[in-house]
C-alpha cells in the first residue's frame, strides 16, 4: 500500500503482521496460537478505532463542502469519498463474515474464555478458505478494492492480497515462493492464525481508505487561492514632498499565497518575483510633453497563475506620467561660447538627483568629457551648436547655442596705474615704467 507516512500505530500493526506471517511459515505449536487471539483482538481494536476516524474525516469533508456553498467540483470530490467509505464498509463486513463462519465451523466460542474453541483446527480453515475458494474470492475483492480506490483518487496503491512470488517477505524463500495467496495464508493454518491474518487484511483496507480520504480532502477548494502572507502596503502620491506641503498616501493590507508561484511580466518581458511580489524597474523614456511638461504613458502588467492545473492570466494597463527634466546650464570658466575655443560648461539635471551623471553629444562642436559630474568642454566650429544630453543612455533634451567669434582685444597703456594719452604725449623726462594690457569685452552665450 502506497501510504506516504506511517503513524506509530500503523508501524506496530506492520510489525505484528510480520510476526504473524513468520510464525505461520514456521508452523508453530498450538501453545503459541493463543497469542494470536491477543494479536487479533489488538488488530480489531485498531481497525475499529481507525474506521471511526475515517468516518469523522468524511464528515468534516461534508461540512467543509456545505460551508463553501456546495460547489460542483467540491461535491464531486465528496461523492468520491462517500463511495470509497461504502466500498470499505462492504469489504470489511465481508471479512467479518468470513471470521464468524470460521469460528462457527470450528466449534464456536468458549463462553468462559471468550476464545474460539478450535484455535488449532487447520483442516476446517483449509477446506473453507482453500477448497471452497473463499481465499480466491477474498483476493479478488481486496485487489479490486485497491484498483477502485487508485482510479477514484488518481493515486496508485499496491495490491493487498499477494501470491508468495509477489511478496517481499516470501519471494526469496525456496519453501514458500511458489505458493498461491490461498495456500500461503490459509493452507495448514490453524484458526487462531487465520483470524489474525483476516483482521490484518481489514487493517490494510482501513489504512488504504485513510490515505485516500486524506488525498481527497486536500482536493477540496483546490481552485481557491489561500492567502497566508499578509502585510501592510503604502501607496503615496509622491515619495518626494517639499517642506510646507502635504504628504498624501493610501494605507491598506496586501495578501499573497506562499503556495502559488505566479509568473509576472511587463510589456511581455518577465520580471523577478519575490514572495509573490513582482519587482518592476525600468528607465522612463521621454514622450510627447504637454504644456505642463508631462508625457502620459502606460505599461501592460501581466500575472499568470496556475491553480488546480488551470492557467489564469490577469492583464492590466498601468498609466504613469514622465516629467520633462529641467536642465540647468552654468559656465564654469567663460560666459560665452566662442568659436574654436574651449568653452567649459556645467550642466545639471536637478530632477534626477545626485545619481545623475549626464553624457553629451554635439552637432557643430567637439565634446571633451570631464571626470567631474555634469562638466563638459565644448569646442564650437560652426555658427550654431546643438548639445544633446543623455542619462543612462536615455535622451533627455537638446540645447541650442549660438557661437560668437573671439572679439579683438582693446589695448590699454598705463604708467603708475594712470592711462597714458598716446596722442598728446607726456612731458620729459617721460615715465620710467609703462604697462600695456590687452582687454577682451566678453559677450554672454545665447540659446
Amino acid at each position: 500500500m502506497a501510504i506516504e507516512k506511517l503513524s506509530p500505530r500503523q508501524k506496530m500493526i506492520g510489525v505484528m503482521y510480520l510476526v504473524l506471517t513468520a510464525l505461520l511459515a514456521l508452523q508453530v505449536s498450538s501453545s503459541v496460537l493463543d497469542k494470536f487471539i491477543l494479536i487479533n483482538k489488538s488488530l480489531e481494536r485498531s481497525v475499529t478505532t481507525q474506521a471511526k476516524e475515517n468516518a469523522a474525516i468524511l464528515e468534516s469533508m461534508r461540512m467543509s463542502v456545505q460551508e463553501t456553498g456546495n460547489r460542483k467540483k467540491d461535491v464531486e470530490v465528496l461523492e468520491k469519498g462517500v463511495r470509497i467509505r461504502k466500498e470499505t464498509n462492504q469489504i470489511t463486513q465481508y471479512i467479518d463474515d468470513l471470521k464468524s463462519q470460521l469460528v462457527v465451523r470450528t466449534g464456536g466460542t468458549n463462553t468462559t474464555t471468550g476464545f474460539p474453541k478450535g484455535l488449532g483446527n487447520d483442516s476446517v480453515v483449509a477446506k473453507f478458505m482453500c477448497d471452497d475458494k473463499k481465499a480466491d474470492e477474498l483476493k479478488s475483492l481486496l485487489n479490486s478494492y485497491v484498483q477502485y480506490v487508485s482510479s477514484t483518487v488518481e493515486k496508485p496503491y499496491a495490491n493487498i492480497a499477494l501470491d508468495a512470488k509477489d511478496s517481499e517477505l516470501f519471494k526469496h524463500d525456496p519453501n514458500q515462493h511458489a505458493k498461491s495467496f490461498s495456500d500461503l495464508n490459509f493452507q495448514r493454518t490453524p484458526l487462531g492464525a487465520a483470524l489474525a491474518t483476516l483482521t490484518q487484511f481489514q487493517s490494510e483496507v482501513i489504512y488504504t481508505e485513510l490515505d485516500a480520504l486524506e488525498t481527497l480532502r486536500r482536493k477540496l477548494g483546490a481552485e481557491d487561492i489561500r492567502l497566508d502572507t499578509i502585510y501592510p502596503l503604502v501607496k503615496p502620491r509622491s515619495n518626494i514632498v517639499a517642506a510646507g506641503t502635504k504628504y498624501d498616501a493610501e494605507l491598506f493590507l496586501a495578501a499573497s499565497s506562499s503556495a502559488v508561484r505566479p509568473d509576472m511580466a511587463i510589456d511581455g518581458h518577465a520580471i523577478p518575483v519575490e514572495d509573490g511580489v513582482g519587482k518592476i524597474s525600468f528607465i522612463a523614456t521621454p514622450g510627447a510633453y504637454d504644456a505642463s511638461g508631462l508625457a502620459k504613458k502606460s505599461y501592460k502588467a501581466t500575472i499568470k497563475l496556475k491553480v488546480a492545473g488551470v492557467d489564469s492570466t490577469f492583464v492590466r494597463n498601468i498609466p504613469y506620467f514622465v516629467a520633462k527634466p529641467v536642465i540647468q546650464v552654468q559656465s564654469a570658466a567663460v560666459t560665452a561660447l566662442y568659436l574654436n575655443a574651449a568653452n567649459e560648461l556645467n550642466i545639471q539635471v536637478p530632477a534626477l538627483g545626485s545619481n545623475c551623471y549626464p553624457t553629451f553629444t554635439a552637432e557643430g562642436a567637439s565634446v571633451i568629457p570631464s571626470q567631474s559630474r555634469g562638466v563638459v568642454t565644448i569646442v564650437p566650429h560652426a555658427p550654431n551648436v546643438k548639445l544633446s544630453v543623455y542619462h543612462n543612455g536615455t535622451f533627455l533634451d537638446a540645447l541650442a547655442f549660438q557661437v560668437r567669434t573671439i572679439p579683438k582685444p582693446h589695448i590699454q597703456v598705463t604708467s603708475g596705474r594712470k592711462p597714458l594719452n598716446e596722442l598728446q604725449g607726456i612731458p620729459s623726462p617721460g615715465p620710467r615704467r609703462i604697462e600695456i594690457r590687452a582687454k577682451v569685452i566678453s559677450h554672454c552665450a545665447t540659446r
Side-chain angles (χ1 to χ4, degrees):
M1 184 178 66
I3 294 181
E4 297 171 356
K5 293 183 179 179
L6 296 178
S7 67
R9 181 170 56 193
Q10 290 170 274
K11 294 177 180 178
M12 178 196 71
I13 292 171
V15 172
M16 293 168 66
Y17 181 58
L18 289 176
V19 172
L20 166 65
T21 52
L23 290 175
L24 286 176
L26 294 174
Q27 295 296 304
V28 296
S29 64
S30 59
S31 61
V32 181
L33 293 177
D34 290 344
K35 304 301 181 183
F36 280 114
I37 296 302
L38 298 178
I39 293 176
N40 182 58
K41 288 185 178 297
S42 178
L43 288 172
E44 287 180 335
R45 285 195 297 271
S46 178
V47 168
T48 300
T49 301
Q50 190 58 58
K52 292 180 180 178
E53 292 181 6
N54 290 0
I57 291 174
L58 188 61
E59 184 59 28
S60 71
M61 291 172 61
R62 195 189 311 276
M63 295 296 295
S64 177
V65 171
Q66 291 177 356
E67 290 173 358
T68 53
N70 293 307
R71 295 177 295 191
K72 181 180 178 181
K73 290 190 175 181
D74 287 347
V75 171
E76 291 175 354
V77 172
L78 176 61
E79 289 176 348
K80 289 180 180 180
V82 171
R83 291 196 297 270
I84 289 175
R85 182 95 268 266
K86 182 179 178 181
E87 293 291 328
T88 302
N89 286 337
Q90 288 178 351
I91 196 167
T92 54
Q93 183 58 53
Y94 174 81
I95 296 176
D96 279 338
D97 291 342
L98 289 179
K99 291 191 291 184
S100 296
Q101 292 184 58
L102 282 172
V103 171
V104 171
R105 288 169 181 261
T106 55
T109 304
N110 187 320
T111 56
T112 303
T113 64
F115 285 10
K117 294 178 179 179
L119 283 179
N121 193 325
D122 58 1
S123 59
V124 172
V125 172
K127 182 180 184 308
F128 182 66
M129 295 302 295
C130 300
D131 298 345
D132 294 347
K133 306 296 184 183
K134 292 298 182 179
D136 292 339
E137 184 177 326
L138 175 61
K139 176 184 179 183
S140 177
L141 288 173
L142 288 172
N143 291 342
S144 295
Y145 171 81
V146 169
Q147 293 170 11
Y148 172 77
V149 173
S150 296
S151 62
T152 301
V153 302
E154 299 178 351
K155 180 177 180 179
Y157 292 92
N159 283 335
I160 295 174
L162 302 174
D163 296 331
K165 62 182 177 58
D166 300 318
S167 170
E168 290 295 328
L169 186 62
F170 299 113
K171 67 180 181 180
H172 300 299
D173 187 336
N175 297 320
Q176 305 291 336
H177 75 277
K179 290 184 178 181
S180 64
F181 169 77
S182 60
D183 289 344
L184 178 66
N185 291 281
F186 303 104
Q187 191 64 257
R188 300 179 63 188
T189 301
L191 175 63
L195 293 177
T197 298
L198 289 170
T199 306
Q200 172 60 25
F201 290 139
Q202 286 180 310
S203 176
E204 292 285 342
V205 168
I206 286 294
Y207 282 104
T208 298
E209 180 195 34
L210 168 63
D211 190 77
L213 292 178
E214 291 288 2
T215 301
L216 290 175
R217 182 160 63 175
R218 288 192 292 269
K219 292 183 179 181
L220 290 178
E223 294 184 351
D224 298 339
I225 299 177
R226 312 290 184 183
L227 301 178
D228 55 3
T229 303
I230 301 176
Y231 47 89
L233 191 64
V234 177
K235 181 183 177 183
R237 290 188 180 181
S238 175
N239 285 324
I240 302 175
V241 183
T245 61
K246 290 177 61 179
Y247 173 85
D248 293 319
E250 295 177 349
L251 175 64
F252 52 92
L253 285 177
S256 62
S257 173
S258 60
V260 177
R261 298 291 184 268
D263 294 324
M264 300 187 187
I266 298 298
D267 291 332
H269 301 287
I271 62 173
V273 179
E274 298 178 7
D275 297 328
V277 179
K279 305 298 182 181
I280 300 174
S281 178
F282 59 87
I283 301 298
T285 57
Y289 298 110
D290 58 19
S292 60
L294 297 176
K296 185 176 181 179
K297 294 200 166 193
S298 67
Y299 59 85
K300 184 172 73 173
T302 305
I303 300 177
K304 292 183 179 180
L305 294 176
K306 189 170 185 178
V307 181
V310 179
D311 289 326
S312 300
T313 302
F314 304 89
V315 180
R316 183 179 176 183
N317 285 322
I318 309 298
Y320 67 100
F321 291 90
V322 176
K324 183 178 181 179
V326 178
I327 299 178
Q328 297 179 351
V329 182
Q330 300 175 352
S331 173
V334 297
T335 58
L337 291 187
Y338 291 116
L339 185 67
N340 297 322
N343 301 266
E344 189 176 77
L345 302 177
N346 188 341
I347 298 178
Q348 302 295 330
V349 187
L352 298 181
S354 60
N355 291 326
C356 176
Y357 286 84
T359 56
F360 311 93
T361 62
E363 297 178 12
S366 300
V367 176
I368 303 174
S370 170
Q371 293 183 352
S372 299
R373 181 171 64 90
V375 177
V376 63
T377 299
I378 309 297
V379 182
H381 49 70
N384 296 284
V385 170
K386 182 179 180 182
L387 181 66
S388 297
V389 183
Y390 298 83
H391 172 62
N392 287 339
T394 300
F395 174 76
L396 297 181
D397 202 358
L399 309 175
F401 295 90
Q402 290 183 352
V403 179
R404 299 178 180 276
T405 57
I406 299 176
K408 293 181 179 180
H410 172 70
I411 305 301
Q412 186 180 49
V413 181
T414 60
S415 176
R417 296 185 179 180
K418 295 181 180 180
L420 298 179
N421 189 331
E422 63 272 19
L423 296 178
Q424 294 179 353
I426 57 175
S428 61
R432 298 180 61 183
R433 179 178 178 181
I434 296 177
E435 297 177 352
I436 301 176
R437 294 184 176 88
K439 291 188 175 182
V440 177
I441 300 176
S442 62
H443 301 276
C444 293
T446 59
R447 290 176 50 193

